[in-house]
Amino acid sequence: MTLKLRIVPDPVLRKLADPVKTVDREVSRFMHEMLETMYASAGVGLAAPQVGELKRVIVVDVEEEQNAAKAFMMADPVITWSSEELFTYREGCLSIPGQYAEVTRPKRIKVAYTDVNNQRIEMEAEDLLSTCIQHEVDHLNGVLFVDHVSKLKRDMMLKRVEKAQRLAAEEQQDGKAL
Ligand code: NI
């Protein structure tokens, strides 16, 4: 089952998500549904607020093969260390469709999280994986990648999405979407 993606300016994307504390069967099932939703949308990361759930849960898979066994499913992720060395990547977001911008973040991080088996783990990540985890952890705090670029550029990107969404809704009403 795939979950419905929330698109800006949905207010749920700006809220603080709550800790899950224990990864029980319900949270584990939710993690798998998030992963399925992410793969179906060709994304490399997804955070629970993006499907309307204010829980501190993220899923990440930056590999091409989309192998769920190798994906990261994280509850209550905490970035415990980040490098001074930086890494710049052209980011996008499933909640801000069609918009991309270069964002600079720490190149390497350590992240502690609770995995799908309710084990607390710490791992290191670098480059795209590091960027993706930082982007998803931002989502849990109501922060979007566009907050890392200039206000001018941010406003432009958000306006473009709103316009595209409005046009799509209008076309649907007119019955043109065949
Ligand atoms: Ni995103």
Side-chain angles (χ1 to χ4, degrees):
M1 190 190 96
T2 61
L3 307 162
K4 189 178 181 299
L5 282 171
R6 302 300 184 92
I7 308 295
V8 287
D10 192 317
V12 78
L13 295 169
R14 290 305 196 175
K15 300 231 164 83
L16 186 67
D18 296 320
V20 299
K21 295 191 180 99
T22 304
V23 177
D24 55 16
R25 287 185 66 151
E26 196 188 322
V27 174
S28 158
R29 193 177 58 208
F30 176 59
M31 285 169 151
H32 285 95
E33 285 173 353
M34 282 181 61
L35 196 63
E36 205 180 316
T37 304
M38 183 188 84
Y39 286 148
S41 317
V44 296
L46 186 68
Q50 294 183 273
V51 293
E53 292 283 341
L54 286 172
K55 294 177 182 158
R56 299 189 82 79
V57 174
I58 66 173
V59 294
V60 172
D61 184 357
V62 298
E63 304 296 330
E64 296 273 322
E65 53 188 307
Q66 297 200 339
N67 178 353
K70 290 187 190 164
F72 294 101
M73 296 188 269
M74 303 181 172
D76 300 341
V78 176
I79 293 167
T80 56
W81 174 83
S82 45
S83 67
E84 283 181 27
E85 194 181 347
L86 302 174
F87 177 75
T88 299
Y89 187 76
R90 192 167 158 79
E91 294 187 26
C93 179
L94 292 174
S95 294
I96 312 175
Q99 304 302 309
Y100 299 87
E102 288 201 341
V103 177
T104 299
R105 304 178 186 266
K107 181 178 169 72
R108 287 185 303 280
I109 57 164
K110 281 184 186 164
V111 58
Y113 65 96
T114 307
D115 75 3
V116 70
N117 299 312
N118 197 38
Q119 298 294 308
R120 197 72 185 164
I121 287 176
E122 189 172 44
M123 65 170 256
E124 257 190 83
E126 66 175 359
D127 297 340
L128 177 56
L129 181 58
S130 165
T131 286
C132 189
I133 292 168
Q134 292 176 70
H135 174 123
E136 304 313 328
V137 170
D138 269 357
H139 272 299
L140 305 181
N141 299 321
V143 175
L144 303 173
F145 84 92
V146 293
D147 298 333
H148 294 277
V149 304
S150 71
K151 184 180 184 323
L152 189 73
K153 193 159 190 191
R154 171 165 66 250
D155 290 349
M156 194 177 70
M157 289 195 284
L158 295 176
K159 240 177 245 164
R160 279 202 206 119
V161 175
E162 280 193 55
K163 190 177 174 193
Q165 294 288 308
R166 202 170 53 236
L167 286 175
E170 281 170 15
E171 281 192 12
Q172 218 167 18
Q173 272 186 343
D174 294 345
K176 280 185 218 152
L178 296 176

